[in-house]
Amino acid sequence: MTEARGPFGPRGGTHGRRAPGTPCWVSLMVHGLTATERFYGGLFGWKFEPGPQQLGPYSWALLDGHRVGGIGQLAPDLHLPIAWTPHFATDDVDRTAETVRLCGGTVGVGPVEARGTGRLVIGSDTSGAVFGVWQGVPGTGTAVIGVHGTPAWTELLTFETASVTKFYKALFGYEEEQVVCAGVDYVTLRLDGVPVAGVHGVGHSLPRDRGSHWLTYFQVEDADDALRRVAELGGRVLEPAHDSAHGRVAKVADPEGALFAVVQDPR
């Protein structure tokens, strides 16, 4: 993890219109919507209200009335990996979808309309990791950042960084910054010098049952307290909290197995 909260702005701030390629939303598709809302409500203090229903039951997750993410319900006969999916901003979702295909990725859903909030695509990159692209209308997307319960950073875990980094550079025009450290395969993706996401090559440590996947970091006030609450609410602690240059970090899973990380600001 490098430069947490880079793309999301200052503490407690709200977003403006995001440049293409900037993370703008996170969503989760699960089988038990009510139980999942209960878990994240207890962990992050989220409240929920109905969102777009084009792809089935879907709820906006709110903090103090501001949207921070979304949770939808999978059809009972769909047995897909349960995972948080980052969405990246675009000014032209149709053109971006075509670029995904031309660069060797796959478009699985869309482009589709999302009830007055814009148009979106769900696809996968050349490593198989799932991500979204959202052409949002002004004022949509993650509406508050830098406080407990909000997305802070997004990171692709994959076998190696070189090939998939080329895909995202072609898609969004990112600049790449390779971490110079023996034995570390990590690239920070930047837009106009601002870090927006990371790509971490973990080699054979990549879980075979999950493959390449995006990992969302959520800001918390106290990482150790968050881990206690995860366990109390039926989730699992996968990696205990440890101190890093970017704060105290831990990796966890919710009751349906969706992986995510929590990070406590060091300041």
Side-chain angles (χ1 to χ4, degrees):
M1 176 186 181
T2 68
E3 309 199 53
R5 229 178 48 251
F8 295 96
R11 174 179 293 276
T14 55
H15 72 81
R17 187 173 183 86
R18 292 193 175 93
T22 304
C24 62
W25 188 249
V26 289
S27 66
L28 174 65
M29 299 298 290
V30 297
H31 291 288
L33 183 57
T34 300
T36 301
E37 289 178 351
R38 188 161 52 245
F39 173 84
Y40 287 101
L43 180 61
F44 293 139
W46 291 349
K47 306 297 182 184
F48 297 91
E49 69 176 18
Q53 307 293 305
Q54 285 90 336
L55 302 180
Y58 191 87
S59 296
W60 301 121
L62 310 176
L63 270 179
D64 296 325
H66 299 290
R67 296 173 184 169
V68 295
I71 301 177
Q73 183 165 303
L74 290 166
D77 58 343
L78 283 180
H79 300 285
L80 302 175
I82 307 299
W84 279 100
T85 300
H87 292 59
F88 298 89
T90 182
D91 287 337
D92 188 333
V93 72
D94 296 278
R95 181 183 299 172
T96 303
E98 183 60 24
T99 305
V100 168
R101 297 186 183 97
L102 290 173
C103 291
T106 301
V107 173
V109 177
V112 295
E113 300 290 334
R115 202 186 71 177
T117 63
R119 304 177 71 228
L120 64 87
V121 156
I122 303 295
S124 57
D125 63 27
T126 51
S127 74
V130 176
F131 67 100
V133 181
W134 190 4
Q135 182 181 351
V137 300
T140 57
T142 302
V144 62
I145 38 73
V147 296
H148 180 86
T150 58
W153 184 246
T154 189
E155 187 172 276
L156 175 61
L157 301 181
T158 188
F159 184 77
E160 55 84 27
T161 63
S163 58
V164 75
T165 296
K166 291 180 182 178
F167 171 85
Y168 285 103
K169 288 175 66 179
L171 192 60
F172 294 123
Y174 293 135
E175 309 137 14
E176 67 172 293
E177 180 184 8
Q178 185 81 41
V179 171
V180 180
C181 182
V184 176
D185 184 14
Y186 195 100
V187 171
T188 300
L189 302 176
R190 296 173 177 266
L191 285 172
D192 296 325
V194 177
V196 296
V199 183
H200 191 184
V202 297
H204 294 292
S205 297
L206 189 68
R208 291 188 177 183
D209 62 342
R210 189 169 292 268
S212 296
H213 60 279
W214 283 94
L215 179 70
T216 298
Y217 289 74
F218 290 96
Q219 187 86 17
V220 293
E221 294 176 352
D222 185 320
D224 296 282
D225 180 65
L227 296 192
R228 286 190 291 270
R229 295 186 68 80
V230 165
E232 291 170 356
L233 292 163
R236 293 179 293 131
V237 176
L238 304 178
E239 293 184 12
H242 64 277
D243 294 319
S244 75
H246 309 287
R248 194 157 174 78
V249 180
K251 292 182 181 178
V252 300
D254 70 17
E256 287 206 25
L259 307 181
F260 63 99
V262 295
V263 55
Q264 177 183 336
D265 196 315
R267 290 173 288 183

